[in-house]
Amino acid sequence: MTRQALLYFLRRNVTTAFAFVLLGLLLLTAAIGPALVPYDPLTTNMANVLQAPTAAHWFGTDQLGRDIFSRVIVATRLDFAIAVSAVMVSAAAGVCVGAFCGYLGGIVDSVLSRVVDVLLAFPLFVAAMALVAVFGNSVQSVVLATAIINFPFYFRLARAQAVSLRTIGYVEAALINGNSTSQVILGFILPNSLPPVVVQISLNLGWAILNTASLAFIGLGVGPPTPEWGVMIQEGAALMIAGQWWTVVFPGGALVLAVFCFSLLGDGLRDIIDPRRRS
């Protein structure tokens, strides 16, 4: 799609344009937000414990007097970093392995396909909890666990594309012209697998952010006092019952906004990539 066609499509699809604008704001917040926050997100102040939102503290303060606005902004970078790292690792590994298996077939393809089927048989969040427990309670474990449970989606997507393309005319012509198997896969199979993979990445990023926050909520991966949306929701859950609603609403709202953004973005990218879905 050319630049002019993309701009025309975005003008006709306000929802997709809104998703791109929202994504830009979230990325900008993750990039420069921590340098602009008014308070240190780790500094406690017992004189300001559980203050409601005011001009001095836009999102109020928590049970230790820390500024919730500063903590929500700083947490954006960590949640995005974990989600992007995990999804990029799983996408790179899944697409490459899936493309080679789908094109070459054989025993390796059969074994890996069965392994992927087994992984998909487990509820994703339960599998993530088990993997973090095995690897150890750390941020690196959350990234690795999220990458592993996302791997099957990219493997199956790339494998299906490779199976459908390996007998197509231009692929066979490339082999006849002397290209090696690796050159055919890297030069012809993988590029044609990227459009649906980009859509899957967008959808998985929202899930990865939600998964990171959910693991932190139950005490796995990121833990206090690190500013992270799931940690903040977990700390504020008991306080909300006592009327301190701001301790949960603002970090929860940021989490919902990020997941909502990537869901809208995935639908929009699907429409952009597939001409038959454009309106």
Side-chain angles (χ1 to χ4, degrees):
M1 180 182 284
T2 64
R3 179 182 177 184
Q4 291 77 10
L6 177 60
L7 292 176
Y8 174 77
F9 174 82
L10 292 177
R11 284 196 297 266
R12 293 284 302 275
N13 293 266
V14 179
T15 302
T16 302
F18 171 74
F20 276 102
V21 172
L22 184 57
L23 175 64
L25 292 175
L26 288 171
L27 292 177
L28 187 63
T29 301
I32 67 173
L36 303 178
V37 293
Y39 300 96
D40 186 335
L42 298 178
T43 298
T44 61
N45 184 350
M46 301 311 293
N48 292 327
V49 170
L50 295 176
Q51 287 190 355
T54 62
H57 300 280
W58 293 353
F59 290 178
T61 61
D62 63 11
Q63 72 279 10
L64 295 177
R66 297 171 298 192
D67 182 61
I68 293 178
F69 174 77
S70 300
R71 288 176 63 78
V72 168
I73 296 299
V74 171
T76 305
R77 176 181 292 182
L78 176 60
D79 280 284
F80 269 59
I82 293 174
V84 170
S85 300
V87 171
M88 290 300 105
V89 169
S90 60
V95 168
C96 292
V97 175
F100 274 88
C101 286
Y103 184 80
L104 298 175
I107 185 64
V108 175
D109 175 44
S110 298
V111 171
L112 285 178
S113 296
R114 300 295 77 77
V115 171
V116 165
D117 291 340
V118 171
L119 287 175
L120 290 174
F122 291 94
L124 296 182
F125 185 64
V126 174
M129 288 192 298
L131 289 171
V132 172
V134 170
F135 296 142
N137 195 6
S138 66
V139 173
Q140 293 78 7
S141 298
V142 174
V143 172
L144 184 57
T146 305
I148 290 175
I149 59 180
N150 276 316
F151 172 85
F153 299 108
Y154 300 102
F155 174 86
R156 296 183 75 174
L157 189 60
R159 182 183 179 279
Q161 288 289 107
V163 170
S164 64
L165 292 174
R166 63 185 177 187
T167 57
I168 208 165
Y170 64 83
V171 173
E172 294 182 342
L175 287 172
I176 293 173
N177 287 333
N179 289 281
S180 65
T181 299
S182 297
Q183 289 175 324
V184 169
I185 294 174
L186 296 176
F188 297 92
I189 302 296
L190 283 181
N192 285 282
S193 301
L194 290 181
V197 168
V198 170
V199 175
Q200 186 65 46
I201 286 174
S202 176
L203 296 172
N204 277 149
L205 279 171
W207 182 89
I209 290 175
L210 182 60
N211 181 69
T212 300
S214 299
L215 289 171
F217 182 85
I218 62 175
L220 294 176
V222 182
T226 303
E228 195 280 329
W229 292 333
V231 171
M232 297 175 69
I233 294 171
Q234 189 274 332
E235 291 177 339
L239 299 172
M240 189 174 183
I241 301 175
Q244 285 83 29
W245 53 268
W246 57 89
T247 58
V248 172
V249 168
F250 290 113
L255 176 60
V256 170
L257 192 65
V259 176
F260 178 66
C261 171
F262 284 112
S263 296
L264 288 182
L265 193 63
D267 291 337
L269 288 173
R270 185 183 294 111
D271 293 339
I272 291 173
I273 291 171
D274 186 355
R276 295 169 298 180
R277 298 177 59 93
R278 296 176 195 162
S279 58

